[in-house]
Amino acid sequence: MSKRNAILLAVAIALVLVAVLTDFGRNLPFRGSMRPDELPSRRPDRLDAKLLKQFADKPINEIIDSLSESEPEPEKSTADSLLDILPNAPIPFPDDSTPGDPAALKRFVDSVSSGANGKPTPVDRWRFNLAATALNIAETDRPETLRMAATPSTATENFPVSMKRVSEDLKGPIAVGNFDGKDGVELVSNGGAQLSTVAEDGTMTPLDSLSGVTGGNGVYPADYDGDGDLDLYITRPGRLPNSLLQNDGTGQFADVTSELGLLVFSDSTSAAWIDFDNDGFLDLLLGSRDHPLELYRQSEGGTFQPVAWDLALWIPHSVTGIEVADINTDGLPDFFVSVANAKDRLFLTTPAEEWNNWRFADVTGASKLRGSKNGAVAKFFDFDNDGDQDLLLGDRADSGESLKVESMLAGPEKIEAAAPEDEEGAAPEAVPLRLYRNRGDGIFDDVSESIEFAGVQDVQAIGIADIDSDGFEDILVGSDQLTPNLTFWNRQGLEFRDVTVSSGLSYLDQPTSYCSADLNGDGNLDLLISNGRGGARWLSSEAVGTGWLTVQLEGNRPGTRVELLVRDQDWVLQKVNRVAQAGSQITFGLGDAKTVESIEVFAPDLQEPVARLEKQAPNQSVMIHIPKAPRKRAIVPVEERAGS
């Protein structure tokens, strides 16, 4: 073969390989790492284009059945196995608690004791002492090399409420809302596969309206179509499609995912409903591990079209969470995006005359928000009741065997507020839980030290709830498996005190999400805690002698704000603000307040209240109808684009 022919042959082979590999790459279900970090100059091809073509006209259940693979049950880790046989109770274990399997627990203790002459790790010691404590083995009877206290070493103090177990016959994730159009709220569990009513005595009655639905890893209720009832969006992991379930107003649902343009095959992790362009139509943010962050804009006809690239909103992959709040009180939803092994982002929505000129400014650096190693766990809430949404950030734990026992032995240490900035593009090291106060204009100050907030690392989930009904929301921290979950008591917005033990919330089961509501209308807060093992725990507070008021919103939009003006026993007026996301119920703790002077409801984009009630007595539930806002239409319509 001549040299010229050899060269031509080599070039031909190279071109064929490039074509094959390009086509192969396009059809990979997980190709997030191949996405560029910078916004591409042209609209990227869909990573799931081949699957979209294959299943374009198929029902969601049929698609899930086709793509679901029967995999063998994974072997349990040591942590899983130990958790199964320990008492299902908070630590220190109550006297009446019993191990799940005493014989297996005894074998575990004997096995670890037999190797006590070696050099046990802090993890070995912690697990051994948990088991020994559950078996009532005195500390003096434990090998000295293994001995340590099996209770949280964090400081704790008396707390007026202890959360009591109601039920564990639940599976997560969970959402709460009014789905059937009647008074009260219903419970969505099993990741969106089960709807139940809750009676005044706490009895749950399953309904069949979600039968046949495959549960997912997240449930996101909202009235996306503006007809007055809550619909449901379900995210699913792997390459299984997500679902949008449309409610007919009676709690009966129809899957409208494909017909409305929301069929996607991604490893979805999170979603959020937002009306980003303030046109009266709810849009949808969707995050996943393998696909770029996507923003689906709802058209006037109710269909959804992806516009993130059009609006220069670009995170190529590895999104682990999305949290939404109006941080600068301009009536527009801003959002925090958690990203694994990259920089987390805080986006400020920047309006324009035409929808395609709207932008999202990255303001992370302006507030010197610290990054996270695995994608931050984030929550917006108004910890000091000044009307602005503050921000709590924790570094997501490496789930599994990475138990941080050393920190439990030493207790929480003060963490210096000043810390070096992360190098651009580098994955940050693990950092402690941090609290940032909103100045009122969307710029945040780190106040973790000034309010004596304890530094905590390795966070799995964050919950916000006013457990003691004093009007200030408290912090719940879900820790890694076999590490006690933590509770911090908000003292009038001035400091947080560790009440992990006295709150009765120091379980060991790795929460993944928290949901709170007054399920049975008795004024006591109910906590619904989903965990990493697929289960869920329902806990309820006991009456603490303080007042409460439950506001049920009819026609609620995400971001609606409810403001109470209350008068305490000394005749002092105080304001309490809460922001409703998708749910239709907010329960306010009133502390010692004797009178609710007024209740005002503010739509997300309005400065004047859309509804107002005056002179309400505490300890009741009130229904407020929010007038339907006229829908506005953007000047420039979204048009179909090739490849979108």
Side-chain angles (χ1 to χ4, degrees):
M1 180 182 296
S2 68
K3 183 177 180 180
R4 179 175 178 278
N5 289 338
I7 293 173
L8 290 174
L9 179 61
V11 171
I13 293 173
L15 290 174
V16 170
L17 284 173
V18 168
V20 170
L21 290 175
T22 300
D23 185 64
F24 174 73
R26 284 175 178 163
N27 294 321
L28 280 175
F30 303 101
R31 197 170 61 100
S33 60
M34 301 173 68
R35 286 299 199 191
D37 291 333
E38 300 299 324
L39 179 72
S41 58
R42 67 176 185 85
R43 179 185 294 279
D45 295 335
R46 288 278 300 248
L47 296 178
D48 55 356
K50 185 175 180 179
L51 291 172
L52 282 172
K53 183 177 180 180
Q54 179 181 351
F55 294 108
D57 300 319
K58 304 292 184 183
I60 293 296
N61 277 347
E62 185 176 325
I63 298 174
I64 292 174
D65 290 341
S66 298
L67 294 178
S68 297
E69 299 176 358
S70 58
E71 298 180 358
E73 286 289 328
E75 291 187 11
K76 285 187 177 181
S77 66
T78 303
D80 278 324
S81 299
L82 182 55
L83 197 57
D84 283 339
I85 60 180
L86 284 169
N88 185 10
I91 61 171
F93 298 126
D95 293 338
D96 59 352
S97 64
T98 57
D101 188 336
L105 206 56
K106 181 65 166 60
R107 289 194 297 271
F108 174 81
V109 167
D110 292 342
S111 173
V112 178
S113 296
S114 64
N117 293 330
K119 293 184 178 180
T121 67
V123 171
D124 293 333
R125 293 177 61 204
W126 172 253
R127 290 175 176 172
F128 169 82
N129 283 274
L130 280 177
T133 301
L135 292 172
N136 295 315
I137 299 174
E139 288 191 24
T140 54
D141 294 333
R142 306 174 194 177
E144 187 173 351
T145 55
L146 291 170
R147 194 179 306 158
M148 66 179 284
T151 58
S153 61
T154 52
T156 190
E157 61 178 83
N158 291 330
F159 184 56
V161 176
S162 181
M163 304 297 291
K164 300 300 181 182
R165 185 165 54 199
V166 177
S167 172
E168 293 190 12
D169 188 24
L170 284 171
K171 292 183 179 180
I174 288 173
V176 173
N178 187 343
F179 291 93
D180 63 359
K182 302 175 182 177
D183 289 343
V185 294
E186 290 76 52
L187 184 68
V188 174
S189 59
N190 294 39
Q194 179 64 63
L195 180 66
S196 304
T197 60
V198 182
E200 290 185 2
D201 62 359
T203 302
M204 290 188 300
T205 303
L207 305 175
D208 62 2
S209 54
L210 290 174
S211 60
V213 173
T214 300
N217 58 0
V219 285
Y220 304 91
D223 180 15
Y224 86 89
D225 53 3
D227 63 355
D229 53 63
L230 286 177
D231 311 294
L232 194 64
Y233 187 73
I234 301 172
T235 56
R236 298 187 178 95
R239 58 178 182 173
L240 298 181
N242 303 328
S243 285
L244 175 58
L245 305 180
Q246 186 180 46
N247 190 347
D248 69 355
T250 67
Q252 299 296 316
F253 296 87
D255 196 313
V256 294
T257 310
S258 297
E259 63 190 82
L260 296 189
L262 288 174
L263 182 61
V264 62
F265 298 87
S266 66
D267 191 7
S268 300
T269 59
S270 50
W273 291 101
I274 64 171
D275 181 7
F276 84 90
D277 55 356
N278 194 26
D279 66 353
F281 294 80
L282 280 184
D283 313 301
L284 181 67
L285 266 173
L286 178 63
S288 68
R289 291 184 177 88
D290 57 325
H291 282 215
L293 176 72
E294 191 55 87
L295 173 59
Y296 291 95
R297 182 175 184 268
Q298 186 179 174
S299 70
E300 191 169 7
T303 60
F304 291 83
Q305 294 172 301
V307 298
W309 178 81
D310 301 81
L311 305 181
L313 178 61
W314 181 255
I315 297 179
H317 51 78
S318 303
V319 172
T320 60
I322 302 170
E323 290 293 323
V324 178
D326 178 6
I327 64 173
N328 60 350
T329 63
D330 65 350
L332 300 174
D334 312 301
F335 50 95
F336 184 91
V337 181
S338 304
V339 189
N341 297 313
K343 187 179 76 169
D344 300 321
R345 314 281 181 84
L346 177 61
F347 288 106
L348 198 68
T349 300
T350 305
E353 288 296 324
E354 300 176 349
W355 78 266
N356 56 343
N357 289 326
W358 286 58
R359 292 295 183 264
F360 305 96
D362 184 348
V363 295
T364 315
S367 298
K368 297 182 179 179
L369 302 180
R370 281 303 309 265
S372 62
K373 181 181 178 183
N374 300 308
V377 182
K379 282 292 179 185
F380 288 106
F381 76 120
D382 183 5
F383 82 89
D384 50 3
N385 277 353
D386 66 351
D388 302 313
Q389 292 295 294
D390 309 301
L391 178 61
L392 183 64
L393 293 179
D395 196 14
R396 194 179 304 274
D398 287 310
S399 179
E401 302 291 327
S402 58
L403 186 63
K404 300 294 183 183
V405 177
E406 295 92 337
S407 63
M408 292 163 51
L409 290 169
E413 298 178 352
K414 296 283 183 181
I415 308 297
E416 294 297 327
E421 294 183 4
D422 304 322
E423 295 182 9
E424 187 67 27
E429 297 297 322
V431 294
L433 191 69
R434 309 300 294 173
L435 181 61
Y436 297 88
R437 175 186 282 130
N438 193 337
R439 297 180 188 174
D441 57 359
I443 301 298
F444 294 85
D445 294 321
D446 189 336
V447 295
S448 306
E449 316 315 320
S450 63
I451 60 170
E452 300 183 9
F453 186 70
V456 176
Q457 289 186 335
D458 294 338
V459 176
Q460 286 288 349
I462 293 173
I464 302 297
D466 183 7
I467 302 174
D468 61 335
S469 298
D470 67 347
F472 289 85
E473 293 182 298
D474 310 302
I475 295 173
L476 313 169
V477 178
S479 304
D480 204 1
Q481 213 164 43
L482 289 179
T483 307
N485 303 319
L486 306 174
T487 307
F488 295 99
W489 184 16
N490 188 347
R491 301 300 293 138
Q492 306 296 304
L494 301 174
E495 65 174 344
F496 285 86
R497 297 181 185 174
D498 185 349
V499 292
T500 293
V501 173
S502 54
S503 66
L505 288 169
S506 52
Y507 286 85
L508 303 167
D509 56 355
Q510 187 184 326
T512 53
S513 63
Y514 291 86
C515 180
S516 63
D518 178 10
L519 289 177
N520 53 359
D522 63 357
N524 293 328
L525 181 78
D526 297 296
L527 278 179
L528 299 149
I529 308 172
S530 302
N531 60 49
R533 295 148 62 84
R537 177 174 284 112
W538 176 5
L539 302 170
S540 181
S541 64
E542 294 184 324
V544 293
T546 57
W548 57 273
L549 185 78
T550 294
V551 177
Q552 297 191 55
L553 302 174
E554 186 179 45
N556 173 49
R557 293 167 57 197
T560 296
R561 180 170 61 90
V562 181
E563 181 177 285
L564 263 61
L565 187 64
V566 300
R567 193 182 295 278
D568 66 16
Q569 56 188 357
D570 297 321
W571 212 243
V572 176
L573 286 172
Q574 293 181 334
K575 285 184 179 180
V576 182
N577 285 276
R578 293 289 182 268
V579 175
Q581 291 304 325
S584 53
Q585 182 204 80
I586 306 175
T587 295
F588 290 83
L590 302 180
D592 296 325
K594 302 302 180 185
T595 305
V596 179
E597 295 290 337
S598 65
I599 306 170
E600 292 186 327
V601 180
F602 296 83
D605 55 340
L606 297 177
Q607 297 299 317
E608 296 297 322
V610 295
R612 177 183 173 91
L613 294 178
E614 295 186 357
K615 297 294 183 182
Q616 298 294 312
N619 306 329
Q620 63 164 326
S621 177
V622 297
M623 174 70 78
I624 296 179
H625 174 73
I626 301 176
K628 192 171 183 178
R631 290 188 167 186
K632 296 163 280 184
R633 192 66 268 167
I635 297 173
V636 178
V638 178
E639 297 176 353
E640 295 285 351
R641 290 175 173 81
S644 65

